[in-house]
Amino acid sequence: MKKRGLKMRTALGAVAMSMAGSLLMASQAKAVELWDPYLRGVFEGEPAGALPPPGVYGELDNYWTSYGNYLNSSGTKEPGHLSALVEVPIVIWVPGIKIFGADYAAAIGQPFDFTKTKLFGHTGGGNWGTYNTILVPGMLSWSLPDHLFVRTGLTILLNDASSTMGDVYKGTLTNGGAPSGNAYTTLQPDLGVSWLYNGWNLSVGTHYAVPISGTKSAGISYRTAPQFSADYTITKTIGAWTAGIGGAQENQFSRDTVSVNGISVPGRLTDNYSIGPIVGYEFANGVGVSAYWNHSFATKSDVAGDFFNLRLFTAF
């Protein structure tokens, strides 16, 4: 994309939500903690280190996943299927203020989603709902020598989803879909680095999600361990067109804390890696569109398959 649009989209890289489900089988009970606090690979294709010029910007991500398999801790497939459409509208404000020599920005997002699954004994239908509200009270981006940009920020995901795993445990979510969000607040520091030169965008955006509460319902207590996520981008822009490759990863370095009826059970350690192509086009009026597809190639204790994102963006 052109430099202005490219830098605009990087501001969105601090925004996070989740749709990469996890399963735990415990004795005869099934305990499930959904969702991961970061939407897998959602900001591939964006320069993760820069911010746009002062102004107000908008983005809409139309994110579709179809995960046909759950892979256990040994990488072995188990029955289950999850499909989800996730709509992520975001607004970013760049007031033209500098703090510690860095450009400042803030953002807000309110995702909503449609989920359909063969898990939890559901066989049809689907569930519409809102995900946890996303607040980014501050992002700081430094422009460094040699075409390098570094951005840091903090994302807050509020505990206000319209349905959670507690509704499944209570038997009140029976329409054939998975919950629309999770039942805990998350703090997520973000760090992005970009090299932007002569149409090239080499970027890495990293996120470390730390849940500050857990799910408790119907004899099940589940607290998700912190999770590391990263999006990778290598693209080249020629004129209005951009093409390249993107990738994503998710890792847990400590296990979830789980108990069923007061008895502790082994938690999970998630690993997931995916890769795929990126293509985009930016119109003369600053409106742009990009699309990318990813396929999982290494997964443990998580769902695996494909995801696709169609991104629309503009300056207001």
Side-chain angles (χ1 to χ4, degrees):
M1 306 297 171
K2 298 174 184 177
K3 187 173 182 181
R4 179 181 175 92
L6 196 66
K7 293 178 73 174
M8 178 193 79
R9 297 194 303 281
T10 244
L12 306 176
V15 180
M17 53 106 32
S18 73
M19 267 299 153
S22 60
L23 301 178
L24 174 80
M25 300 300 292
S27 301
Q28 300 301 313
K30 179 185 289 183
V32 188
E33 180 73 341
L34 303 176
W35 302 95
D36 298 340
Y38 187 74
L39 181 59
R40 184 181 302 167
V42 69
F43 294 117
E44 290 178 31
E46 298 181 353
L51 283 175
V56 179
Y57 302 89
E59 176 174 315
L60 176 64
D61 286 277
N62 306 272
Y63 185 102
W64 171 259
T65 91
S66 181
Y67 295 131
N69 296 292
Y70 172 71
L71 279 68
N72 61 26
S73 59
S74 301
T76 303
K77 295 179 181 179
E78 294 184 0
H81 183 271
L82 168 69
S83 60
L85 171 64
V86 190
E87 299 294 322
V88 191
I90 307 163
V91 176
I92 303 167
W93 176 50
V94 186
I97 297 172
K98 284 190 177 290
I99 300 176
F100 304 122
D103 294 316
Y104 168 83
I108 185 171
Q110 181 53 73
F112 55 97
D113 51 68
F114 175 81
T115 59
K116 187 175 182 180
T117 179
K118 291 183 180 179
L119 307 173
F120 323 129
H122 296 158
T123 57
N127 180 54
W128 276 105
T130 57
Y131 185 75
N132 306 51
T133 300
I134 300 164
L135 302 177
V136 187
M139 294 176 275
L140 296 175
S141 174
W142 288 266
S143 177
L144 305 178
D146 299 319
H147 314 287
L148 288 175
F149 297 83
V150 175
R151 176 192 51 77
T152 187
L154 176 67
T155 298
I156 302 171
L157 293 95
L158 303 180
N159 179 13
D160 62 355
S162 60
S163 60
T164 69
M165 278 309 302
D167 296 299
V168 175
Y169 300 152
K170 297 172 185 175
T172 57
L173 183 63
T174 58
N175 55 11
S180 60
N182 59 50
Y184 53 87
T185 298
T186 300
L187 299 181
Q188 178 178 285
D190 306 288
L191 176 66
V193 179
S194 296
W195 182 73
L196 306 176
Y197 179 69
N198 195 30
W200 285 100
N201 171 19
L202 279 64
S203 289
V204 178
T206 63
H207 319 276
Y208 192 69
V210 182
I212 61 175
S213 59
T215 297
K216 293 184 178 181
S217 181
I220 296 173
S221 175
Y222 200 125
R223 186 182 181 96
T224 299
Q227 183 183 82
F228 172 81
S229 301
D231 299 335
Y232 301 94
T233 297
I234 302 175
T235 59
K236 171 68 172 178
T237 297
I238 301 176
W241 288 95
T242 293
I245 191 169
Q249 75 176 85
E250 292 181 328
N251 306 95
Q252 283 184 307
F253 305 113
S254 59
R255 296 184 182 275
D256 295 353
T257 303
V258 189
S259 68
V260 179
N261 296 323
I263 301 174
S264 296
V265 296
R268 67 185 179 94
L269 277 175
T270 290
D271 292 297
N272 206 315
Y273 300 86
S274 63
I275 193 170
I278 299 171
V279 65
Y281 185 84
E282 186 166 343
F283 299 92
N285 60 1
V287 175
V289 60
S290 62
Y292 60 86
W293 164 78
N294 263 206
H295 178 72
S296 301
F297 64 87
T299 303
K300 291 183 178 180
S301 298
D302 208 344
V303 288
D306 300 300
F307 64 83
F308 173 82
N309 189 30
L310 177 67
R311 176 183 298 131
L312 307 173
F313 52 91
T314 188
F316 294 122

